[in-house]
Amino acid sequence: MNQEKVIVIDFGGQYNQLVARRVRECNVYCEIYSYRTKPEQIKAMNPKGIILTGGPNSCYEQGAPTYGKELFELGIPVLGLCYGAQLMMFLLGGKVEAAPVREYGKTEVFVDTSSKLFAGVSEQTVCWMSHFDYIAKEAPGFEITAHTADCPVAAAERAADKLYAVQFHPEVLHTQEGTKILHNFVRGICGCSGLWRMDSFVEQSIQAIRRKVGNGKVLCALSGGVDSSVAAVMLSKAIGKQLTCVFVDHGLLRKNEGDEVEEVFGPNGPYELNFIRVNAQDRFYVRLAGVTEPEQKRKIIGEEFIRVFEEEAKKIGTVDFLVQGTIYPDVVESGLGGESAVIKSHHNVGGLPDYVDFKEIVEPLRDLFKDEVRKAGLELGIPKYLVFRQPFPGPGLGIRIIGDVTAEKVRIVQEADAIYREEIADAGLAECIDQYFAALTNMRSVGVMGDERTYDYAVALRAVSTVDFMTAEASEIPFAFLQKVMGRIINEVSGVNRVFYDLTSKPPGTVEFE
């Protein structure tokens, strides 16, 4: 898809995806690439701008992530953030040293508002600092454009070459005018038009799908979740009856969800889809028997999915393409695209077997964040209640059950989760929580119920507030509400005698448990 874009070069920083997200908020398309990407590849992409992320290393140490000086000679505007700023200075002749005073957290920064980067920014503004090294001396030809009480070079630029370096993190919300700074870079300095919008993305995607698929037959992995539902409707608009949607009920869905998916996408639903439901609960339980390691569970579930699809494809006849609802966080967290470690091997992109009996995999949402997927769904005319359905991972309850998976454990977590979701809806909390679910821990403990000793499982409740699912905070839920949910779960779900509420944010945790 030909369009103007800004490239983020990832040096291992925790905010790489957040940088890309903020650029997209400026209506400019953005992608993440590892620092190992060769300069000629970057040049061939013809980006309008390049942003270097932060990272945990010291740029002057041997073996630290680095780049060739030719990056700054491409004639493309470059913005270095934190480590990226230090690396720019270091490579171009400046000095980077261990800071005599380390800065972490909200810091008052004094900026030169005559700089294009800081146009419209307050002369004294609050930014988020996180560094133990600092720029002791700017590189030749650079002018200092910002400082703090302890950091003499909080920003520097060589405006004639469109090279900019900032020590702080404009991408995080703690930097009060960070969005304005990034907007100044991508729209002002890089000259991006800001025409990347969801309506044009959807139309361009539909056209791209038609060109790619041609007259081929397509098999869509439909789970009923937001991502696969949007992907299915987009494909149906692009190629119509060339698409067959296969819904695999692997026995790891939420309570009654299999029937709900069939009601919406099946023959009596509003969409003209070739819909096939495969009830494969038993074969998944057999494959997962005794397996406790999370990555192994993900890979088994992913592989079994593909095997089911291959079997259905053979019944249909020749199938050329497989559709998956992969989204951009899946791509990056699976170790593709950026420099992030592999966090989860199977969202949709990971865990595939070596042999897949399809010509190619089609991932129409691969470049979108979760909130962007929802916008695409609305543009496609999908009802709001489906678009804003709770996110659900591809491996389903297999990763919301800690330890081995059994039919009995699935029953427990389904019942507990149904109660939790029902109470959240009744309390009017659904609009202020972005994702919520119950998970089954592997902990069993002694309890007393009805004057009898019990030895049952503990259920953990999760609720997070987030914009893009790259970072998340535990939602503040009234204690009286949690007590009510706890009481219902323990009284109504056999096999449970304790209920916990998870307060962990992302990072350091993930939204899911495994």
Side-chain angles (χ1 to χ4, degrees):
M1 200 179 299
N2 294 323
Q3 59 189 344
E4 61 181 18
K5 64 182 174 184
V6 168
I7 285 176
V8 171
I9 297 182
D10 180 17
F11 290 92
Q14 61 178 316
Y15 299 132
N16 60 353
Q17 295 177 57
L18 194 55
V19 175
R21 188 66 191 86
R22 296 289 176 256
V23 171
R24 292 186 186 194
E25 288 174 359
C26 299
N27 296 119
V28 176
Y29 183 64
C30 186
E31 292 180 339
I32 301 170
Y33 291 91
S34 166
Y35 71 90
R36 294 179 172 87
T37 307
K38 295 179 180 179
E40 54 266 30
Q41 292 176 273
I42 297 293
K43 187 175 182 179
M45 296 176 200
N46 194 30
K48 298 282 285 187
I50 298 170
I51 299 177
L52 313 181
T53 70
N57 303 90
S58 294
C59 65
Y60 48 80
E61 291 182 345
Q62 187 173 1
T66 189
Y67 216 95
K69 288 199 296 184
E70 59 265 36
L71 180 71
F72 308 106
E73 299 168 355
L74 296 175
I76 301 170
V78 181
L79 172 63
L81 308 179
C82 196
Y83 180 87
Q86 296 169 5
L87 183 63
M88 181 189 294
M89 293 296 101
F90 179 72
L91 292 174
L92 296 179
K95 290 184 179 180
V96 178
E97 301 173 352
V101 179
R102 298 179 180 183
E103 292 178 310
Y104 183 82
K106 294 181 179 179
T107 306
E108 189 174 40
V109 179
F110 302 88
V111 304
D112 180 355
T113 56
S114 67
S115 165
K116 284 187 177 181
L117 190 64
F118 299 121
V121 176
S122 306
E123 290 184 356
Q124 292 179 297
T125 187
V126 174
C127 300
W128 184 262
M129 288 284 192
S130 178
H131 65 100
F132 49 83
D133 287 336
Y134 80 130
I135 301 167
K137 175 65 177 177
E138 72 277 15
F142 279 79
E143 295 182 6
I144 298 173
T145 53
H147 68 277
T148 72
D150 297 308
C151 184
V153 187
E157 65 183 51
R158 200 160 75 194
D161 296 322
K162 297 185 177 181
L163 302 179
Y164 298 83
V166 297
Q167 181 60 70
F168 53 87
H169 289 274
E171 69 274 18
V172 302
L173 295 179
H174 302 299
T175 297
Q176 292 179 350
E177 298 177 89
T179 299
K180 188 180 294 183
I181 294 168
L182 290 173
H183 188 279
N184 286 341
F185 178 71
V186 299
R187 299 286 291 274
I189 294 168
C190 298
C192 294
S193 60
L195 297 178
W196 188 74
R197 290 182 170 84
M198 197 48 62
D199 54 353
S200 59
F201 174 85
V202 167
E203 184 55 38
Q204 290 172 359
S205 296
I206 289 173
Q207 293 174 7
I209 289 167
R210 287 174 182 155
R211 288 193 299 269
K212 182 171 186 174
V213 171
N215 296 322
K217 287 187 178 181
V218 181
L219 189 62
C220 178
L222 178 62
S223 70
V226 176
D227 303 334
S228 69
S229 296
V230 173
V233 174
M234 184 179 288
L235 265 292
S236 71
K237 288 184 178 292
I239 59 173
K241 290 296 185 178
Q242 291 171 243
L243 172 69
T244 298
C245 291
V246 175
F247 166 57
V248 177
D249 188 344
H250 50 22
L252 301 170
L253 298 172
R254 290 168 286 204
K255 186 177 180 180
N256 300 327
E257 192 161 32
D259 295 337
E260 292 171 1
V261 171
E262 184 171 1
E263 183 179 341
V264 173
F265 291 101
N268 299 321
Y271 305 107
E272 295 183 4
L273 299 175
N274 293 321
F275 178 85
I276 298 172
R277 178 175 178 175
V278 183
N279 294 313
Q281 297 92 329
D282 290 343
R283 65 187 283 179
F284 277 87
Y285 292 161
V286 169
R287 287 290 312 276
L288 291 168
V291 179
T292 61
E293 205 278 319
E295 284 300 287
Q296 190 179 356
K297 286 196 287 185
R298 287 177 178 273
K299 289 176 180 177
I300 288 172
I301 294 168
E303 181 176 337
E304 199 65 18
F305 255 105
I306 295 297
R307 296 284 80 86
V308 173
F309 289 139
E310 286 179 339
E311 292 168 13
E312 293 305 316
K314 289 174 183 176
K315 295 176 186 176
I316 297 166
T318 302
V319 173
D320 304 292
F321 299 91
L322 170 67
V323 178
Q324 290 188 316
T326 308
I327 65 175
Y328 203 50
D330 300 344
V331 174
V332 178
E333 289 191 354
S334 298
L336 305 173
E339 195 54 30
S340 299
V342 176
I343 298 173
K344 300 171 184 175
S345 69
H346 172 79
H347 290 272
N348 284 303
V349 296
L352 297 179
D354 294 333
Y355 171 74
V356 181
D357 193 14
F358 306 100
K359 180 191 298 181
E360 198 170 343
I361 291 178
V362 178
E363 298 169 312
L365 310 179
R366 184 183 179 90
D367 297 328
L368 300 184
F369 288 93
K370 177 69 74 174
D371 56 317
E372 294 171 328
V373 172
R374 297 189 195 281
K375 290 178 183 177
L378 295 175
E379 288 291 336
L380 287 163
I382 300 175
K384 189 175 181 180
Y385 77 90
L386 282 179
V387 170
F388 289 94
R389 190 174 190 173
Q390 278 286 296
F392 195 61
L397 298 179
I399 60 170
R400 291 182 181 175
I401 296 173
I402 311 303
D404 64 326
V405 176
T406 66
E408 173 63 7
K409 288 183 177 181
V410 170
R411 178 199 64 78
I412 291 173
V413 75
Q414 282 179 335
E415 297 288 345
D417 182 71
I419 290 170
Y420 187 34
R421 288 187 290 121
E422 178 186 323
E423 290 296 336
I424 283 179
D426 290 346
L429 294 173
E431 293 298 319
C432 57
I433 304 174
D434 294 296
Q435 186 170 356
Y436 48 90
F437 58 87
L440 183 65
T441 75
N442 203 28
M443 187 191 89
R444 299 183 73 182
S445 63
V446 174
V448 179
M449 297 177 68
D451 294 326
E452 292 184 359
R453 181 183 183 275
T454 62
Y455 187 65
D456 289 327
Y457 287 103
V459 164
L461 304 179
R462 183 77 160 136
V464 299
S465 300
T466 179
V467 173
D468 50 25
F469 288 86
M470 298 291 56
T471 60
E473 296 291 336
S475 301
E476 294 187 28
I477 297 180
F479 185 68
F481 170 83
L482 292 174
Q483 283 186 305
K484 182 179 180 182
V485 174
M486 175 272 297
R488 280 199 62 191
I489 290 175
I490 289 178
N491 287 323
E492 298 176 31
V493 183
S494 61
V496 178
N497 64 3
R498 290 183 189 270
V499 175
F500 300 140
Y501 183 65
D502 182 8
L503 294 172
T504 313
S505 61
K506 176 186 179 180
T510 56
V511 175
E512 295 291 342
F513 275 62
E514 290 192 342

